[in-house]
Amino acid sequence: MYKTWKGVQPYLLAIPQTLVFLLFLIFPILMIGLVSFWEFNGYTMVPGFTLSNYADVFTEVSLRTYLNTFKYVVLVWFFCLAIAFPVSYFLAFHIQNQKLQIILFLICTVPFWTSNIIRMISWIPVLGKEGLINSLLLNLNLVEQPVEWLLYSDFAVVLGMVHLYNFFMIAPIFNSMMRIDRNLITAAEDMGASGFQILKEVILPLTAPGIAIGSIFVVTLVMGEFITVRLMGGGQSASVGKLIQTQIGSLQYPLAAANAVVLLIVTLFLVAGILRVVDIRKEL
């Protein structure tokens, strides 16, 4: 009887987590998939089965929106990696004092002490026509009139997303670098390897799982982003997330659900591609 109870106990402990997982993740996704096949008569949803919603997803306008979203994903991922890798490298290998290392790492979390919306709004007095950057450029006579593309443009959208999600790349890369055995670097130096060779042959391969985890975070967050696109794009930039939000606002729930399903599938393919390139089990 005791052995039976010991065998069943782990499953009983997993029941609450399983119920939460099914209730708040699997069930909503199934409902979204179901609604995506319903009809919309211009006023309300009508239960049924139609593929017209998915046909509307693959129109020229929608495909351009998806391509624009992929553009944001690539640019934000690239700049997040370009910032996160040297920052993590500096913290992991050039800061020897552990307390200072922790303090500097915590400084990277300072932007998270405020909400995303406040962080986005804070860019307006910096990038606006009468903002700090334009005022500086005008005072230095570098431009004759304010630069308009600094705000309410794709540049502003990418800048805002990098500001929001850069830490999601820094944290896993820093964690990977801290796990690297320093004896490997010492051995490479003893064998006459240059700093670049050590970076290329030792540090970069061992940091790859952290880069993959950070990439998954950034890609999934940017794919569904709509707040930053709305605030920083000023209605002149488009993304799938903003498209879905607009469709929900106009009560086109079936079409929004179809876009959500397609977006989920595309995101899963991107994550699967990252996992095929790098084995992240070393970090788990």
Side-chain angles (χ1 to χ4, degrees):
M1 182 68 180
Y2 177 75
K3 291 183 178 180
T4 303
W5 167 250
K6 292 289 288 185
V8 175
Q9 190 175 17
Y11 295 98
L12 295 177
L13 294 174
I15 288 177
Q17 296 92 323
T18 303
L19 292 177
V20 170
F21 178 77
L22 293 175
L23 183 62
F24 294 103
L25 181 63
I26 302 300
F27 180 72
I29 291 177
L30 293 177
M31 287 301 300
I32 291 173
L34 178 63
V35 172
S36 68
F37 293 103
W38 288 8
E39 298 178 357
F40 181 71
N41 60 11
Y43 300 97
T44 184
M45 295 184 298
V46 178
F49 182 85
T50 179
L51 296 175
S52 61
N53 297 317
Y54 287 95
D56 291 338
V57 171
F58 295 99
T59 59
E60 183 179 355
V61 175
S62 295
L63 291 177
R64 286 182 179 178
T65 303
Y66 275 87
L67 290 176
N68 203 52
T69 302
F70 294 148
K71 179 183 68 176
Y72 290 148
V73 170
V74 173
L75 290 174
V76 174
W77 172 83
F78 173 79
F79 288 113
C80 282
L81 181 60
I83 295 172
F85 193 89
V87 169
S88 302
Y89 182 85
F90 175 77
L91 292 176
F93 295 103
H94 290 277
I95 303 298
Q96 303 300 326
N97 188 303
Q98 187 175 15
K99 290 184 178 179
L100 179 60
Q101 198 176 59
I102 295 174
I103 291 173
L104 292 176
F105 179 75
L106 291 177
I107 289 177
C108 297
T109 68
V110 169
F112 286 86
W113 297 358
T114 58
S115 70
N116 291 359
I117 297 177
I118 293 177
R119 279 186 280 168
M120 292 301 96
I121 294 176
S122 66
W123 280 108
I124 295 178
V126 177
L127 302 176
K129 289 184 178 181
E130 300 179 357
L132 295 177
I133 294 179
N134 270 315
S135 297
L136 179 62
L137 293 175
L138 290 171
N139 291 332
L140 294 176
N141 294 322
L142 296 177
V143 295
E144 296 181 355
Q145 57 184 3
V147 180
E148 297 184 359
W149 56 262
L150 290 176
L151 188 62
Y152 303 139
S153 62
D154 286 346
F155 168 80
V157 172
V158 172
L159 177 64
M161 290 184 184
V162 171
H163 178 202
L164 287 179
Y165 304 131
N166 192 38
F167 182 74
F168 291 97
M169 186 71 80
I170 293 177
I173 293 178
F174 174 72
N175 180 60
S176 294
M177 289 184 175
M178 290 300 296
R179 291 187 177 191
I180 296 176
D181 188 352
R182 273 29 180 194
N183 292 326
L184 296 175
I185 298 176
T186 303
E189 292 174 344
D190 293 341
M191 295 179 67
S194 64
F196 179 76
Q197 288 175 322
I198 294 174
L199 177 65
K200 178 182 177 182
E201 304 295 338
V202 178
I203 296 176
L204 190 58
L206 295 177
T207 310
I211 295 175
I213 293 175
S215 299
I216 291 173
F217 284 144
V218 171
V219 167
T220 54
L221 289 169
V222 174
M223 285 295 290
E225 176 64 66
F226 67 92
I227 295 179
T228 305
V229 177
R230 178 182 177 183
L231 294 178
M232 302 297 286
Q236 302 182 44
S237 301
S239 72
V240 180
K242 188 173 182 294
L243 176 64
I244 294 174
Q245 185 223 7
T246 302
Q247 291 168 346
I248 291 176
S250 59
L251 303 181
Q252 299 182 52
Y253 296 119
L255 183 56
N259 271 293
V261 171
V262 173
L263 179 63
L264 176 61
I265 294 173
V266 172
T267 304
L268 290 177
F269 270 110
L270 292 176
V271 172
I274 295 173
L275 295 178
R276 285 184 63 87
V277 175
V278 180
D279 184 8
I280 67 172
R281 289 178 294 181
K282 299 176 182 177
E283 293 291 299
L284 303 178

